[in-house]
Amino acid sequence: MRTVLVTGPGGAGRTTIAAATALAAARRGGRVLLLSADPLGDVLGSPAGPPDDPAPVRDGLWASRVDSGAHFRTETLAFQERAATALELLGARKLAGEELTELPGSEQSALLHALRRAAAGDWDVLVVDLPPLRDALALLALPGQLRRYLRRLLPRERQAARALRPMMAQLAGIPMPAQWLYETAARWDAELAAVESLIEDPATTLRLVAEPGPAAAEALRAARAGIALYGLRVDALVANRILPGDAADPWLATLVAQQRKCLDEWHEGWPPGTPVHAVGHLGRDPRGLDDLALLDSPPQGAAGSPAEDPWPVEDRLAEENLLVWCLPLPGAVKSELALVRRDDELLLTVGPFRRIVPLPSVLRRCTVTGAALTDGVLRVRFTPDPDLWPRAH
């Protein structure tokens, strides 16, 4: 399945471009699903269905809208049933579905759940209308982060020892975690693993949508480092709502000049493998399939395979007794960088984005001796630890 994740700065028209991308893919043949957390009725001209029953829009195209409120109620009631015994021991009263109001964060949970369902479906192309850019990157990093938390809080070796828990409870004099807790954690881990696999799949790419201008340029600059940090692949930068270049009105001419200047900078600043695709302004908000067909969607293309080693380790042992870990972070600013070595992991912060990455095995026997950001590449220097480094005999 080819997956296109569409996002961009807020108000740039990402939902419209996602719908146009899905329509163009359906016209090329195959089964296409458009998934969004926003209403799609006005854009498509027909309502979308729930994630478990997408609505047909036209031949080859289906649409689905994520209802975070309904998902929150369903998951909360199901969890309440699984934890019924523990809740009864505490004397807790069960909550009814009609009194549940979704909590902050439920939107992310509902969208991840919908992504897992879509990944298991029989689709040739999946187009996902994600939240605005910064929230979208945090969402795409969430499955890996949550799985790490689960492994730390409920490690597999404790789950494997569940047969010993009754005896351990008697010896310790305190109740041990119930079986339902481990079963729930295993179910969550399986769902998160499926979403993480979809995001990391070579056939999955990120499509950025932005209206050219200073604010969008800054938002994209800040996001580029986060995109590289999370290992995401951008297949196109869509410059949306481009005004015609022959505007006679001085006010419009100023906006046109601003857009052209920004477009030139994007063409020069983004890698050659990332096309900058201009989509003209219709002079109105696109409504319905006929308007979407007028929008020149970027070609679907092939996602390709990720680089074999996007973060290589340079061997400078012979010359400087150093190993240098090279982490490409285009758009990163030195003042926004933070590095912390913790055991065999590197805690890396770039502006609002943070990732905990395991060190390559060769670097685990070394100590960090410095780091420098040059030309968009963070180079972390490691020196072999004499107590851990193998000695020649």
Side-chain angles (χ1 to χ4, degrees):
M1 182 177 68
R2 175 80 165 88
T3 303
V4 182
L5 307 171
V6 183
T7 184
R14 67 185 187 281
T15 299
T16 300
I17 295 300
T21 299
L23 178 62
R27 288 185 165 183
R28 288 189 289 267
R31 291 167 53 84
V32 180
L33 174 64
L34 172 63
L35 179 65
S36 176
D38 290 336
L40 294 170
D42 289 342
V43 174
L44 296 175
S46 60
D52 58 350
D53 187 22
V57 178
R58 54 152 289 166
D59 292 344
L61 176 61
W62 282 260
S64 179
R65 185 193 176 192
V66 180
D67 185 342
S68 58
H71 174 77
F72 175 80
R73 287 187 290 273
T74 299
E75 288 295 297
T76 301
L77 293 175
F79 182 81
Q80 186 174 247
E81 287 302 314
R82 289 193 294 270
T85 302
L87 292 175
E88 288 175 3
L89 289 174
L90 295 173
R93 292 176 57 192
K94 287 186 177 181
L95 295 167
E98 55 269 19
E99 62 180 309
L100 291 174
T101 301
E102 63 176 308
L103 299 176
S106 59
E107 298 89 347
Q108 293 90 329
S109 174
L111 188 50
L112 290 177
H113 183 77
L115 277 174
R116 184 197 62 79
R117 294 188 67 93
D122 184 23
W123 307 106
D124 297 303
V125 180
L126 169 64
V127 179
V128 185
D129 172 31
L130 291 176
L133 186 52
R134 181 169 169 176
D135 293 336
L137 295 181
L139 173 74
L140 297 176
L142 192 57
Q145 293 170 348
L146 292 179
R147 293 191 71 202
R148 183 178 182 276
Y149 297 157
L150 285 174
R151 288 193 295 268
R152 290 289 295 273
L153 297 174
L154 294 170
R156 293 185 182 276
E157 54 268 24
R158 292 189 185 176
Q159 298 179 42
R162 59 181 177 268
L164 301 176
R165 280 200 291 275
M167 179 182 67
M168 293 170 64
Q170 290 182 353
L171 293 175
I174 57 174
M176 303 302 289
Q179 177 65 22
W180 65 267
L181 177 61
Y182 290 96
E183 292 175 350
T184 299
R187 182 175 64 86
W188 285 346
D189 185 72
E191 290 199 2
L192 292 168
V195 178
E196 191 176 24
S197 178
L198 173 70
I199 295 170
E200 295 177 350
D201 194 298
T204 297
T205 55
L206 198 65
R207 182 161 297 184
L208 302 176
V209 181
E211 188 171 347
E218 175 57 25
L220 291 176
R221 181 208 64 79
R224 284 187 67 184
I227 291 169
L229 180 65
Y230 298 139
L232 303 171
R233 295 169 294 280
V234 178
D235 70 352
L237 169 56
V238 179
N240 196 24
R241 301 176 183 147
I242 299 299
L243 298 170
D246 55 356
D249 184 275
W251 184 77
L252 283 177
T254 301
L255 291 179
V256 169
Q258 178 178 274
Q259 286 192 340
R260 292 294 183 271
K261 179 177 183 293
C262 190
L263 271 176
D264 290 342
E265 292 174 350
W266 287 352
H267 278 292
E268 294 175 2
W270 284 78
T274 305
V276 178
H277 188 85
V279 175
H281 202 306
L282 294 183
R284 61 182 183 278
D285 290 336
R287 290 291 182 269
L289 300 183
D290 291 340
D291 278 356
L292 291 178
L294 297 175
L295 301 178
D296 184 20
S297 177
Q300 181 178 314
S305 300
E308 290 185 5
D309 190 0
W311 291 4
V313 176
E314 293 182 357
D315 186 347
R316 300 185 189 173
L317 291 174
E319 304 87 358
E320 306 173 60
N321 193 36
L322 286 177
L323 292 170
V324 181
W325 199 14
C326 301
L327 288 64
L329 298 173
V333 178
K334 183 179 179 180
S335 60
E336 299 176 350
L337 278 175
L339 289 171
V340 177
R341 165 79 181 270
R342 184 181 182 277
D343 298 328
D344 290 337
E345 296 177 322
L346 187 69
L347 284 64
L348 180 57
T349 302
V350 186
F353 310 108
R354 191 166 187 261
R355 185 180 179 187
I356 301 174
V357 292
L359 293 173
S361 58
V362 68
L363 299 182
R364 296 173 188 175
R365 303 190 301 263
C366 303
T367 57
V368 178
T369 54
L373 179 67
T374 308
D375 298 327
V377 178
L378 176 64
R379 293 176 171 84
V380 187
R381 299 186 296 275
F382 291 80
T383 300
D385 186 336
D387 295 331
L388 300 176
W389 198 258
R391 296 179 175 85
H393 295 286

